[in-house]
Amino acid sequence: MNTETVFAGHSFLSARIKGEPLAHLPQDLYIPPDALEVYLEAFEGPLDLLLYLIRKHNLDILDIPMAELTTQYMAYVEKMKVVKLELAAEYLLMSAMLIEIKSRMLLPKPAEVAEEDDPRAELVRRLMEYEAIKLAAQRLDAMPKVGEDIHVASAYYQHIVEIKPPEVSLDDLVEAWKNVLKRAKLNQHHKLGRSELSVREHMSQILRRLKSEELVEFSQLFDIVNDGLPKLVVNFLAVLELAKEGLVRITQQAAFSPIYLQASALE
Amino acid sequence: MREPENITEMKQILEAALLTAGQPLSLDDMLKLFAGRMERATLRMLLDELKADWGQENSDKTVELVQVASGYRFQAKPQFSEFIARLNPEKQPKYSRAVMETLAIIAYRQPVTRGDIEQIRGVAVNPNVIRQLQERDWIDVVGQREVPGRPSLYATTKHFLDDLNLRSLAELPPYEDFAQSEIPLDS
Amino acid sequence: MREPENITEMKQILEAALLTAGQPLSLDDMLKLFAGRMERATLRMLLDELKADWGQENSDKTVELVQVASGYRFQAKPQFSEFIARLNPEKQPKYSRAVMETLAIIAYRQPVTRGDIEQIRGVAVNPNVIRQLQERDWIDVVGQREVPGRPSLYATTKHFLDDLNLRSLAELPPYEDFAQSEIPLDS
């Protein structure tokens, strides 16, 4: 088995790589370390190289001097320990696979062995799969693409801006409130529950009413028939809170006579 | 490379280029289309023809060729702009932090004066902040506090509740513990 | 706001929007033009009409309406491409073989992990290769495979199909086309 015979008469890659004709033909899966860059540009990996050798040079994938290859690889790995070791590993793995296949081929075969049991079948399957993907990649590369060969209509139009007010969600509001509290360190003082919020809402409502009506009779603030007890209580708490904060004045001319509320400001 | 065979094809190349350019094309740009094999005068003539073909008076055309400072471009006739604008609704601006915090304080602590807000936030309140919220009809003045200067008392409006999809302030999340169950109070 | 008065005006709005979009418009996008006042069936009918009006067979038109994965777009008829390309002489850099092969594997075998790609190509995949395809918005992560390490599963995007002028993956060149002659086993 001699690789020289396999490659006799072939000139490797009639195309030039980096403007230079490639001096040496890859006779096996060994890459001379000094030619690493060139080979890496030419081949995408051991599968690619193997495929090239098979398709272009009718190389039998087993017709490779395994012992010599292994020696070459070990020297290669030594040299490449510092850089690009992972690349060496891929080629090394491939040669290991070939050696394994070869050793299995050399074992005496039982007569009844089926074609599918050929140890080379898996490698051939991978090679053909890779070959199909390689061609698919070339085809995708050649297809017209937007930004290169396809030009999409994009005429101009007058941009009309419709001014809309900012949107505010409940979450935004709560977030803002939390920020306020964080900064003011008011956590201890202002733990608000729903009930207190209701009180504050009623305080605003009463004030708003006092703005238009000036004088409101106390009992008119309460709708005994329609408001449930909780609402009546909240409303009453609101009146007390308003009085406490000095926001309303509560007056009564005589005992048991009507009680009136008026905004403090409206004297 | 192939070159256009006649003036009709040249005009078509010009039209296709202008429709797809995405920006105005200058005369120099357009000359590049023909690899220098066109006179400026011819180009101008073709542009005039295209302008006429696609002009405002041709009611079946939806775009027209117009000349702007940096060259020529096709643009949608004005009557279509408002519809096209619907495809890209302008991103709405956000309220500043000052506006949001002021709103939150008024919502949670109402009725409050500007002084209250300033005390809580620790910074002066820009009158513009209050104005923005009033213009939105989210807050209004519900009275004055009886202290020197009689400052206005602000509260949130019904409109604010509507916009935030709340029935009452009691539906605002109590800020300190959202998980804590509370006795619901109808208001 | 004004709304279109008749079907002719609707068709014109549609045409103007598509001519100005610069990208495919989906049916949902186009419905927005009419503020929800159009049936999908009517829209489809109008698109069919526009396709016919602007079709390849109408030799006076320089752009045609095509359907791609994410919707409809007007694009220059292929015969004008080479001329328009002269406007931007700096071409996009060609992708390396590693990038294109990785893309081919993802396109034809999706969803795949990086390990799958490495298995097929027989070499490690440089993360940069994946990144280039993600930056082009041609691939994205669609999930994780439930194996140790939970590796990301990659698939092609709609944008990839759009860029290659395809409506769906089924329109990719058939994989069978790439199957080559058997590699003989006899030694």
Side-chain angles (χ1 to χ4, degrees):
Chain A
M1 225 179 298
N2 185 349
T3 50
E4 298 305 322
T5 59
V6 175
F7 292 104
H10 291 277
S11 78
F12 175 62
L13 289 183
S14 52
R16 286 157 181 250
I17 293 170
K18 280 189 167 174
E20 295 293 320
L22 211 71
H24 304 288
L25 179 147
Q27 301 187 349
D28 44 45
L29 297 175
Y30 172 74
I31 294 181
D34 53 338
L36 182 68
E37 291 233 346
V38 178
Y39 278 83
L40 286 181
E41 279 192 15
F43 296 104
E44 286 294 313
L47 278 179
D48 196 23
L49 174 56
L50 199 52
L51 198 57
Y52 170 83
L53 294 174
I54 290 167
R55 288 294 189 205
K56 290 282 192 291
H57 297 287
N58 297 315
L59 170 74
D60 184 320
I61 55 174
L62 296 175
D63 198 9
I64 292 169
M66 293 295 172
E68 190 187 324
L69 176 67
T70 310
T71 319
Q72 283 180 328
Y73 258 103
M74 294 336 277
Y76 175 57
V77 170
E78 276 305 308
K79 278 191 178 163
M80 296 309 288
K81 257 181 188 160
V82 196
V83 279
K84 307 253 188 194
L85 189 58
E86 72 278 12
L87 291 166
E90 280 155 1
Y91 286 86
L92 192 59
L93 188 67
M94 177 58 69
S95 64
M97 188 195 212
L98 290 172
I99 290 169
E100 194 227 337
I101 292 170
K102 179 145 187 164
S103 57
R104 284 175 59 191
M105 294 291 286
L106 291 174
L107 289 174
K109 268 189 242 175
E112 69 276 17
V113 76
E115 176 93 2
E116 304 84 69
D117 289 316
D118 191 319
R120 295 167 299 177
E122 169 61 14
L123 179 59
V124 165
R125 188 198 63 74
R126 283 189 63 190
L127 282 167
M128 293 194 65
E129 182 177 37
Y130 176 67
E131 188 170 43
I133 285 299
K134 199 173 139 175
L135 291 169
Q138 286 167 10
R139 184 69 177 278
L140 289 182
D141 204 26
M143 283 170 74
K145 290 176 200 71
V146 169
E148 290 159 26
D149 333 271
I150 296 172
H151 304 276
V152 179
S154 54
Y156 178 85
Y157 70 95
Q158 188 69 48
H159 292 66
I160 295 173
V161 184
E162 227 178 297
I163 307 265
K164 280 191 185 160
E167 277 208 59
V168 172
S169 73
L170 203 50
D171 290 344
D172 296 334
L173 188 71
V174 171
E175 201 47 48
W177 181 234
K178 281 185 186 162
N179 280 339
V180 167
L181 294 175
K182 213 184 293 164
R183 219 152 6 107
K185 304 220 187 303
L186 290 177
N187 287 294
Q188 294 313 304
H189 304 288
H190 296 288
K191 289 221 167 186
L192 293 185
R194 291 186 197 285
S195 53
E196 199 182 334
L197 274 171
S198 295
V199 170
R200 303 213 77 88
E201 182 171 36
H202 279 83
M203 287 164 69
S204 294
Q205 280 169 7
I206 292 166
L207 282 176
R208 202 169 267 132
R209 186 164 167 190
L210 290 174
K211 218 167 75 168
S212 55
E213 294 181 34
E214 264 183 51
L215 211 60
V216 174
E217 210 239 302
F218 184 73
S219 62
Q220 286 178 333
L221 291 173
F222 302 92
D223 185 345
I224 309 280
V225 183
N226 294 314
D227 291 350
L229 185 59
K231 184 162 177 178
L232 294 172
V233 171
V234 167
N235 216 8
F236 182 63
L237 289 171
V239 173
L240 293 182
E241 188 64 27
L242 284 169
K244 194 178 104 191
E245 293 185 18
L247 299 173
V248 296
R249 293 204 321 156
I250 302 173
T251 50
Q252 189 179 29
Q253 300 296 59
F256 306 113
S257 68
I259 299 170
Y260 289 99
L261 263 75
Q262 68 184 122
S264 312
L266 299 166
E267 299 249 271
Chain B
M1 190 173 269
R2 198 171 69 87
E3 291 302 331
E5 278 158 25
N6 52 49
I7 201 86
T8 312
E9 203 183 340
M10 288 178 178
K11 194 168 138 184
Q12 287 196 313
I13 291 167
L14 205 51
E15 182 184 290
L18 284 160
L19 280 170
T20 56
Q23 57 182 24
L25 293 181
S26 67
L27 291 181
D28 287 339
D29 287 334
M30 291 184 274
L31 288 172
K32 281 189 217 152
L33 293 168
F34 307 103
R37 289 194 188 80
M38 183 181 278
E39 298 290 323
R40 286 179 102 81
T42 317
L43 180 59
R44 280 181 203 281
M45 182 200 76
L46 289 178
L47 285 167
D48 283 345
E49 282 188 26
L50 279 176
K51 247 196 222 170
D53 295 347
W54 292 83
Q56 185 61 257
E57 55 286 351
N58 290 307
S59 63
D60 62 321
K61 302 287 194 208
T62 59
V63 294
E64 57 186 327
L65 185 62
V66 298
Q67 189 176 3
V68 293
S70 49
Y72 289 78
R73 73 178 173 210
F74 273 110
Q75 61 186 45
K77 290 188 178 173
Q79 64 265 38
F80 303 117
S81 297
E82 58 176 304
F83 299 103
I84 301 171
R86 292 176 180 175
L87 291 177
N88 297 304
E90 285 295 315
K91 205 138 168 51
Q92 293 174 2
K94 280 218 162 254
Y95 279 128
S96 68
R97 186 178 166 143
V99 172
M100 282 307 297
E101 291 188 1
T102 301
L103 178 63
I105 292 166
I106 297 172
Y108 278 96
R109 302 298 301 156
Q110 60 188 280
V112 289
T113 64
R114 209 168 114 178
D116 297 336
I117 298 167
E118 291 179 342
Q119 204 190 344
I120 295 173
R121 291 196 65 227
V123 286
V125 172
N126 186 324
N128 191 36
V129 165
I130 301 279
R131 196 178 45 72
Q132 280 186 65
L133 291 169
Q134 280 180 311
E135 277 175 1
R136 188 83 187 256
D137 192 18
W138 276 1
I139 63 166
D140 65 358
V141 174
V142 293
Q144 278 84 30
R145 181 168 289 155
E146 259 327 280
V147 292
R150 302 182 68 233
S152 298
L153 284 162
Y154 296 98
T156 54
T157 61
K158 234 183 103 38
H159 191 231
F160 163 77
L161 293 176
D162 290 346
D163 280 0
L164 268 78
N165 214 16
L166 300 171
R167 273 169 304 177
S168 87
L169 278 182
E171 289 187 355
L172 272 180
Y175 78 93
E176 79 286 7
D177 182 1
F178 297 93
Q180 196 174 36
S181 64
E182 305 245 1
I183 300 157
L185 281 169
D186 278 324
S187 54
Chain C
M1 189 174 267
R2 197 174 68 86
E3 292 302 331
E5 278 157 27
N6 53 50
I7 201 87
T8 311
E9 203 183 340
M10 287 177 178
K11 193 168 142 185
Q12 288 195 313
I13 291 167
L14 204 51
E15 182 183 288
L18 284 160
L19 282 170
T20 54
Q23 59 180 17
L25 293 181
S26 68
L27 291 182
D28 286 339
D29 287 334
M30 292 184 272
L31 288 174
K32 280 191 218 152
L33 293 168
F34 308 102
R37 290 193 188 80
M38 183 182 277
E39 298 290 322
R40 286 178 103 80
T42 315
L43 180 58
R44 280 180 202 279
M45 183 199 76
L46 290 178
L47 286 167
D48 283 343
E49 285 187 23
L50 280 176
K51 246 197 222 171
D53 295 348
W54 291 82
Q56 185 60 259
E57 54 287 351
N58 291 305
S59 62
D60 62 321
K61 303 290 193 201
T62 59
V63 293
E64 58 186 328
L65 186 60
V66 298
Q67 190 180 359
V68 291
S70 42
Y72 290 78
R73 70 181 174 211
F74 274 113
Q75 62 191 41
K77 290 187 179 174
Q79 63 263 40
F80 304 118
S81 293
E82 58 176 306
F83 301 103
I84 300 171
R86 293 176 180 175
L87 291 176
N88 294 303
E90 321 85 67
K91 285 228 182 226
Q92 281 213 335
K94 275 276 179 199
Y95 285 125
S96 68
R97 272 186 60 190
V99 172
M100 288 311 294
E101 289 181 9
T102 301
L103 178 64
I105 292 167
I106 297 172
Y108 284 96
R109 294 292 160 81
Q110 59 190 291
V112 290
T113 64
R114 212 170 115 176
D116 297 334
I117 298 166
E118 293 180 342
Q119 170 68 27
I120 294 174
R121 296 192 64 234
V123 285
V125 172
N126 187 325
N128 193 36
V129 164
I130 300 278
R131 197 176 45 73
Q132 281 185 65
L133 291 168
Q134 280 180 312
E135 277 175 1
R136 186 79 184 257
D137 192 14
W138 277 358
I139 64 163
D140 63 2
V141 174
V142 292
Q144 278 85 33
R145 183 167 291 156
E146 283 310 315
V147 293
R150 303 186 73 238
S152 296
L153 284 164
Y154 295 98
T156 53
T157 61
K158 265 190 179 186
H159 192 241
F160 163 74
L161 295 172
D162 290 346
D163 275 3
L164 269 75
N165 222 20
L166 303 171
R167 271 175 297 183
S168 77
L169 281 177
E171 290 187 352
L172 277 177
Y175 188 73
E176 298 79 72
D177 287 4
F178 307 122
Q180 297 297 296
S181 59
E182 288 286 329
I183 293 170
L185 282 180
D186 46 86
S187 51

